[in-house]
Amino acid sequence: MAESLHISAGDYSGDLPIAEGAIRATGLSAVPTELGPLTSYDPGFVNTAACRSAITYIDGDAGILEHRGYPIEELAEHSTFLEVAYLLINGELPTASELEGWDEEVNRHRLVHENVHEIIRAFRYDAHPMAKLMASVASLMTFYPSSRRISDAESRKLNSFRLLGKMPTLAAAAFRHSIGRHPVYPSDELGYVENFMAMLFQSQQRVWRADPRLTRALEVLFILHADHEQNCSTTAVRTVASSGNDLYTSCGAGIGALFGPLHGGANEAVLRMLREIGSLDRVPEFIEGIKGGNGRLMGFGHRVYKNYDPRAKVIKKAVDDVFEVRGTNPLLDIALELEKIALNDEYFVSRKLYPNVDFYSGLIYEALNFPSEMFTVLFAVPRTAGWIAHWQEQLTDPDQRIIRPKQLYTGSDRRPYLPVGDR
Ligand code: ACO
């Protein structure tokens, strides 16, 4: 196994040490080129590690996802979302009393200041709930100005509890605003996920009772979405944190990144796609269209997984549980047929395109009565656990600096300014 990378360019000849499977990109700058020190060009950071991280391990070729060493399948089967959040943020699974204290502390912070509800109310009724979530999360910094003391470990901890606690409250308030209903206040009687569902679906007259199978299905989805190492939104959180920002400002940016259809918005796009296909007999024609360059098969493909996304496997099972309670959806048959054809088609096989976490999650959310605009919000709530863990890791890593990539300049050579009349 090579322990260094030998580089020879022009008069230069030297070795860059390889450690942890990587070279230090700054070492490249010792190599002269005609345009200056050698650099690496990596749009989309496909092969660039921007940090060292101990939170989540992924082997994309083998379809493995582990948090702090624990396989996602085991966490999804045995754990609760708040326990996984503890694991991500603190590095170890909690003891029974640690877990009790943690749950209590998070749940104690579920209420939001009334003015935050005013911020949500100020939006138009048809505003996308992700915009309301982004604005309300970013606004929390102004309610907790001491959150700017990011080098104070106690302040970081307190604001982590606050954000974890408040995310479901904000998400539910954003949803209820779109349907013209008052926010529902959190209940001390209910656990994290059940309380979230009650804040979404409770009506004034009737006490809302969740079927425990549905609550568990949502909890499993929360666990599956809690973290995914250096994905686009986590990178956004780390980037914003790197200039010295508080948790709320950093996670506000994460929510923005997650909103995009190539990231968290994909499951919303999957349902749109399934509806557009409409019937089983149109599936082959649709697949041919994709292969001919007519869009992408949403919910397929992943930057890291070149195998079946392990989260998609767990979700496929949860789909069965939810449909057992709620009855089946014809769109599931279309999804299954798409998957069957794509997994046997040379175009998808050769590009290693497999179903990702979003391929089936939208079907579950729809069966749980969520409108499709809420799907990305349902991703943002649990991903907050991962964002907090990475925000903290970013701020406490002595290797880290402000994130500021290089560019390869492709613009004009230097030229004199021409007055407007002379152009
Ligand atoms: N359907 C059809 N073709 C695809 C798809 C797809 N879903 N995804 C990738 N390809 C093709 C590309 O056209 C490209 O083909 P080419 O080599 O002939 O040009 C090749 O596969 C490689 O694709 P890239 O875009 O280079 O892959 P990248 O790693 O940059 O993108 C991404 C990953 C964004 C997830 C992509 O697969 C995609 O757009 N998928 C659909 C959207 C989606 O489901 N996103 C959710 C991701 S999971 C998450 O964020 C939680």
Side-chain angles (χ1 to χ4, degrees):
M1 200 63 80
E3 278 160 17
S4 63
L5 175 72
H6 182 70
I7 299 184
S8 140
D11 292 339
Y12 176 88
S13 175
D15 295 297
L16 292 184
I18 298 177
E20 298 174 277
I23 54 160
R24 291 283 173 149
T26 43
L28 295 174
S29 56
V31 184
T33 77
E34 59 194 16
L35 291 178
L38 181 65
T39 190
S40 59
Y41 175 55
D42 188 6
F45 302 126
V46 176
N47 192 25
T48 297
C51 63
R52 301 170 77 247
S53 180
I55 301 168
T56 290
Y57 171 76
I58 300 177
D59 180 337
D61 291 325
I64 290 172
L65 167 61
E66 294 167 359
H67 296 317
R68 307 278 190 188
Y70 295 99
I72 190 66
E73 294 84 353
E74 289 183 30
L75 294 172
E77 192 171 343
H78 304 295
S79 206
T80 62
F81 167 68
L82 281 188
E83 187 181 30
V84 173
Y86 184 104
L87 174 70
L88 291 167
I89 295 167
N90 298 309
E92 294 295 338
L93 282 172
T95 62
S97 68
E98 283 168 341
L99 183 58
E100 198 185 325
W102 173 260
D103 286 4
E104 242 177 65
E105 201 59 41
V106 171
N107 290 337
R108 210 160 69 77
H109 287 286
R110 289 185 286 196
L111 271 176
V112 297
H113 193 289
E114 280 304 309
N115 289 8
V116 179
H117 287 301
E118 292 302 326
I119 292 171
I120 293 175
R121 265 195 283 275
F123 278 85
R124 288 172 62 129
Y125 76 95
D126 57 354
H128 199 289
M130 277 297 264
K132 295 180 220 173
L133 191 66
M134 202 179 345
S136 54
V137 166
S139 81
L140 291 179
M141 177 256 134
T142 65
F143 294 88
Y144 306 109
S146 65
S147 63
R148 298 292 283 176
R149 293 203 312 260
I150 54 172
S151 45
D152 173 350
E154 278 310 306
S155 165
R156 285 201 304 269
K157 193 166 155 193
L158 173 61
N159 288 292
S160 302
F161 281 131
R162 281 182 177 143
L163 188 58
L164 264 183
K166 291 179 201 321
M167 278 304 275
T169 312
L170 296 173
F175 167 67
R176 289 182 72 95
H177 172 259
S178 350
I179 55 169
R181 297 225 173 125
H182 258 289
V184 170
Y185 290 88
S187 157
D188 283 346
E189 307 299 308
L190 302 175
Y192 192 82
V193 176
E194 200 180 2
N195 175 63
F196 178 43
M197 291 178 91
M199 288 192 295
L200 289 158
F201 299 125
Q202 173 101 46
S203 65
Q204 205 78 40
Q205 295 80 13
R206 276 170 287 137
V207 175
W208 188 83
R209 293 253 179 273
D211 183 310
R213 288 170 295 178
L214 299 184
T215 311
R216 182 62 199 166
L218 190 57
E219 181 126 34
V220 168
L221 284 170
F222 271 22
I223 293 170
L224 296 179
H225 285 90
D227 189 47
H228 211 233
E229 51 118 305
Q230 311 307 318
N231 57 87
C232 179
S233 55
T234 300
T235 301
V237 169
R238 278 185 175 264
T239 304
V240 174
S242 80
S243 68
N245 270 305
D246 63 277
L247 184 60
Y248 309 113
T249 305
S250 305
C251 288
I255 295 170
L258 188 68
F259 193 12
L262 296 186
H263 188 12
N267 51 12
E268 196 178 334
V270 169
L271 273 206
R272 265 200 308 275
M273 175 187 78
L274 295 176
R275 286 209 183 86
E276 191 189 313
I277 298 172
S279 63
L280 275 179
D281 56 313
R282 293 198 54 215
V283 169
E285 176 198 337
F286 184 80
I287 295 260
E288 285 312 308
I290 299 272
K291 285 158 62 180
N294 193 7
R296 290 196 162 192
L297 182 52
M298 298 312 287
F300 256 69
H302 199 276
R303 169 60 59 79
V304 179
Y305 293 118
K306 303 302 168 196
N307 201 323
Y308 213 102
D309 181 338
R311 300 168 300 172
K313 275 192 200 145
V314 179
I315 287 194
K316 222 172 153 182
K317 194 185 157 299
V319 171
D320 295 338
D321 297 343
V322 170
F323 283 7
E324 198 183 295
V325 182
R326 284 283 156 93
T328 188
N329 179 341
L331 296 182
L332 175 63
D333 298 328
I334 297 177
L336 289 169
E337 184 66 11
L338 274 175
E339 178 184 329
K340 195 171 91 193
I341 296 185
L343 290 181
N344 289 297
D345 189 294
E346 200 277 329
Y347 176 94
F348 296 92
V349 174
S350 63
R351 290 169 177 76
K352 299 190 175 161
L353 300 171
Y354 291 86
N356 60 46
V357 68
D358 287 320
F359 194 61
Y360 289 106
S361 61
L363 284 166
I364 300 190
Y365 293 144
E366 190 168 76
L368 293 174
N369 285 343
F370 288 107
S372 56
E373 304 77 58
M374 275 300 284
F375 294 178
T376 329
V377 173
L378 294 165
F379 190 156
V381 172
R383 182 52 59 90
T384 303
W387 291 337
I388 293 172
H390 285 274
W391 172 80
Q392 187 172 272
E393 197 177 63
Q394 174 74 27
L395 293 178
T396 52
D397 178 352
D399 270 3
Q400 283 301 328
R401 313 164 65 175
I402 185 168
I403 294 176
R404 200 290 185 201
K406 285 183 80 106
Q407 64 168 12
L408 304 183
Y409 178 66
T410 60
S412 168
D413 286 340
R414 187 183 177 96
R415 48 186 167 164
Y417 175 83
L418 287 182
V420 68
D422 297 346
R423 286 172 215 161

